[in-house]
Amino acid sequence: MKAIVKLVLLGSLPLIMSACGSKAEEAVEAERVENVKVTALKERTVTRELKLSTTLEGYETVNVSPSVTGTIEKIMVEVGDRVKAGQLLVRMDQTQLNTTRLTMNNVALEYERVKLLRETETVTQQAYDQAKMAYDQTRENLAFLEANTFYKAPIGGVISARNYEDGELYSGTPILVLTQTHQLKALISIPERYVPQIKEGMSLQVESDVYPGETFPASIEIVYPTIDPGTHTFMAKVKIPNADNRLRPGMFVRTHLQVGEATALMVPYQAVLKLTGSNERYVFVHEQGAAKRVRVTLGQRFDSLIEVESDELQPGDELVTVGQARLVDGVKLNVIQ
């Protein structure tokens, strides 16, 4: 019996020691005092700026696709060539065009003959109307064939793709792709809370890693009228002048858009701590001689300051700005100057 009692006591000894150790640690933690520096929280007026990434596109892109089939007689340009509006780009096989020209000559002569006869009332109004209709239809068909046999650039731009060579049979795939690059466009996706601030004509800046430290002026051309229910964002079309052609379609850029002034709590960036293994951010404030841990949401950063939001923070609260890395919730604080 005595042996059993001894075994029970020996088995309970580690638990008793552990409990005593835990209480001792709590006592030590409660008595620990950390030296810190604090600063009073203040509201500041800040200019809010949206930074959004996007990809540049040619302001207009035209697929050179004639509406007639047949052999490509001659392609007048190469990839990279800059062309003006109205410049000849492609000449297609002219067989159909030449046939229609001959038809047009005959139809025109017939129409003129019937027109003179109608003036003398030698032919009926019906015969005149039929001759005129044939003339008008042939003239329209001829104009259509001329435009598509001798295909001219509808806009100025640069040839960005060539898919055929001279003499190949045109099968419907665009012969060329013409891209306007002296001005560019981009679409940006904006959070719905900024709907009241975003207006057509607003100015913004575009920057690219290709040109470090430089910005390019741009403006909002179109604000799309609907909100995406999945992302709670809306689209805006940005127009970017590019007369020197330094920016290129397909280039990745960031836009900087000023969306007005606001009042916000700003704190030193180093005062904000991050919970290991998560994206949770928090700060410590001095409250009645102890540290209080407050979870925050980060806003916009301004140099060494960053905007924070929390229902537990108010102007005048004493934010710990030195020594915060050593703190735990509830530890006693000694504020030093």
Side-chain angles (χ1 to χ4, degrees), residues 77-301:
V77 291
E78 295 289 345
V79 173
D81 287 352
R82 297 196 174 277
V83 301
K84 298 179 180 179
Q87 181 176 334
L88 181 63
L89 301 179
V90 177
R91 185 177 73 238
M92 300 294 293
D93 179 77
Q94 301 178 58
T95 303
Q96 189 176 0
L97 174 62
N98 291 334
T99 300
T100 305
R101 281 173 174 167
L102 292 174
T103 303
M104 180 64 189
N105 290 335
N106 294 331
V107 170
L109 288 173
E110 178 65 16
Y111 171 64
E112 290 298 327
R113 187 183 69 81
V114 173
K115 183 179 179 182
L116 290 174
L117 292 175
R118 179 56 190 162
E119 290 175 355
T120 60
E121 297 185 354
T122 306
V123 297
T124 63
Q125 181 66 39
Q126 182 180 6
Y128 170 79
D129 290 343
Q130 289 175 345
K132 186 176 187 307
M133 182 174 66
Y135 172 77
D136 290 341
Q137 288 177 341
T138 306
R139 183 179 60 180
E140 289 180 6
N141 189 33
L142 179 61
F144 169 82
L145 288 173
E146 286 178 341
N148 284 276
T149 301
F150 298 94
Y151 198 102
K152 297 179 181 180
I155 61 171
V158 62
I159 302 300
S160 55
R162 173 171 168 162
N163 300 315
Y164 293 87
E165 297 299 329
D166 297 346
E168 289 189 318
L169 183 65
Y170 170 57
S171 59
T173 301
I175 298 174
L176 301 168
V177 178
L178 175 59
T179 304
Q180 195 174 64
T181 59
H182 71 276
Q183 57 184 3
L184 304 174
K185 68 180 179 181
L187 293 177
I188 55 176
S189 181
I190 304 174
E192 64 180 6
R193 65 179 178 273
Y194 294 108
V195 166
Q197 289 92 347
I198 305 302
K199 307 293 182 184
E200 292 179 1
M202 286 181 66
S203 298
L204 64 154
Q205 299 293 319
V206 173
E207 67 173 5
S208 168
D209 291 339
V210 178
Y211 303 107
E214 290 189 61
T215 59
F216 300 84
S219 61
I220 291 181
E221 185 175 32
I222 297 175
V223 177
Y224 286 54
T226 58
I227 305 293
D228 186 327
T231 61
H232 296 284
T233 60
F234 64 98
M235 304 300 294
K237 178 184 176 183
V238 176
K239 182 178 180 180
I240 307 103
N242 190 41
D244 56 5
N245 288 288
R246 297 181 68 199
L247 299 174
R248 304 289 181 87
M251 189 176 284
F252 176 81
V253 297
R254 287 176 295 276
T255 61
H256 298 255
L257 178 62
Q258 306 292 336
V259 290
E261 294 185 341
T263 301
L265 286 174
M266 304 295 295
V267 304
Y269 184 76
Q270 69 271 16
V272 181
L273 303 174
K274 180 181 179 182
L275 184 63
T276 303
S278 75
N279 287 323
E280 181 180 331
R281 306 300 178 103
Y282 61 95
V283 297
F284 283 103
V285 294
H286 176 228
E287 186 176 88
Q288 298 179 353
K292 179 183 178 182
R293 184 175 179 275
V294 178
R295 185 174 180 176
V296 297
T297 301
L298 301 184
Q300 189 174 342
R301 183 172 177 177

Side-chain angles (χ1 to χ4, degrees), residues 57-68:
E57 303 175 31
Y59 190 76
E60 286 189 56
T61 298
V62 175
N63 291 322
V64 177
S65 302
S67 297
V68 295

